[in-house]
Amino acid sequence: AQSVTQLGSHVSVSEGALVLLRCNYSSSVPPYLFWYVQYPNQGLQLLLKYTTGATLVKGINGFEAEFKKSETSFHLTKPSAHMSDAAEYFCARNTGFQKLVFGTGTRLLVSP
Amino acid sequence: SAVISQKPSRDICQRGTSLTIQCQVDSQVTMMFWYRQQPGQSLTLIATANQGSEATYESGFVIDKFPISRPNLTFSTLTVSNMSPEDSSIYLCSVADGQETQYFGPGTRLLVL
């Protein structure tokens, strides 16, 4: 089955530290991959996406992700965390017919 | 990207009642979807709302419990019928841009007592 796995339900970092949120996908066919962010009491906002082409994808708010086919990974990074980055982050992949399947989410906690 | 609004933003309902959630998009879109996000959980697709035909439901979701309407290319409704406390969730609508990317509304936060 086509799926994505997010390692770590919670990640804690200090303000200014590197953010690394992990996502692995299952499939023999390279998928389209997405990262969404959900701030408290809000809907999902698209951070970035990989479809084809360049494997390093830059998104909003200083986030980026690298598609690594050999590792079936699409990890999300940000060089320096800000307090405003505290939120829930979801990795997702396409499954055909414009549908998406989501990972279980990672809550990012940022301490001063 | 499309601007998506949902009504109501939140509600508290009594068990056994029904609630209809509206989703409005500021442009015509072909694909609209409804998701459920149970407390502390990820998103689960309920159904694809098809314009002019019956919605397509995912495994575990049925039309009697979650009837969906899609009267035109900018609007859809999801009804949560005969509610129980287990239906307490965030319900989100989304639209696809034709390139495998979905954009989400702000969600409807439902609490069933």
Side-chain angles (χ1 to χ4, degrees):
Chain A
Q2 296 167 328
S3 64
V4 290
T5 302
Q6 292 184 243
L7 294 177
S9 59
H10 292 79
V11 170
S12 296
V13 300
S14 300
E15 193 172 19
L18 172 71
V19 175
L20 171 61
L21 305 182
R22 299 178 186 274
C23 174
N24 289 86
Y25 66 90
S26 67
S27 176
S28 59
V29 178
Y32 291 1
L33 294 161
F34 307 84
W35 277 100
Y36 288 87
V37 60
Q38 186 177 35
Y39 298 104
N41 298 312
Q42 295 188 27
L44 271 69
Q45 181 181 6
L46 180 67
L47 272 178
L48 50 80
K49 65 179 180 181
Y50 169 78
T51 54
T52 58
T55 57
L56 182 62
V57 180
K58 295 185 183 298
I60 62 172
N61 302 338
F63 284 93
E64 62 182 37
E66 186 171 10
F67 172 69
K68 292 187 176 181
K69 184 178 177 181
S70 61
E71 299 177 7
T72 61
S73 69
F74 190 59
H75 301 332
L76 182 71
T77 61
K78 182 174 180 178
S80 177
H82 192 272
M83 296 295 289
S84 61
D85 294 326
E88 188 89 17
Y89 292 79
F90 293 96
C91 181
R93 62 155 296 158
N94 68 320
T95 61
F97 302 103
Q98 303 287 321
K99 293 183 181 180
L100 298 177
V101 63
F102 287 82
T104 52
T106 298
R107 182 168 298 277
L108 177 64
L109 306 170
V110 183
S111 57
Chain B
S1 61
V3 176
I4 306 165
S5 60
Q6 286 185 233
K7 289 182 181 179
S9 59
R10 58 181 66 241
D11 208 342
I12 301 174
C13 300
Q14 297 298 318
R15 68 172 67 207
T17 63
S18 297
L19 176 71
T20 296
I21 302 168
Q22 300 179 4
C23 179
Q24 180 75 53
V25 190
D26 69 341
S27 59
Q28 294 186 339
V29 293
T30 302
M31 305 292 287
M32 291 182 75
F33 304 91
W34 286 98
Y35 289 83
R36 180 176 72 183
Q37 185 180 20
Q38 295 177 298
Q41 303 295 316
S42 186
L43 281 75
T44 302
L45 180 64
I46 298 172
T48 303
N50 303 308
Q51 196 271 328
S53 64
E54 200 169 274
T56 305
Y57 290 84
E58 299 298 306
S59 176
F61 297 96
V62 296
I63 187 171
D64 289 346
K65 177 66 176 178
F66 297 102
I68 289 171
S69 77
R70 179 87 192 272
N72 56 52
L73 293 176
T74 64
F75 186 78
S76 177
T77 67
L78 168 76
T79 298
V80 186
S81 302
N82 188 25
M83 289 184 286
S84 67
E86 292 70 35
D87 294 318
S88 298
S89 297
I90 303 172
Y91 293 87
L92 300 113
C93 70
S94 73
V95 302
D97 67 352
Q99 299 181 21
E100 305 286 340
T101 303
Q102 290 188 21
Y103 299 92
F104 286 81
T108 295
R109 284 149 182 80
L110 171 62
L111 176 63
V112 183
L113 301 177

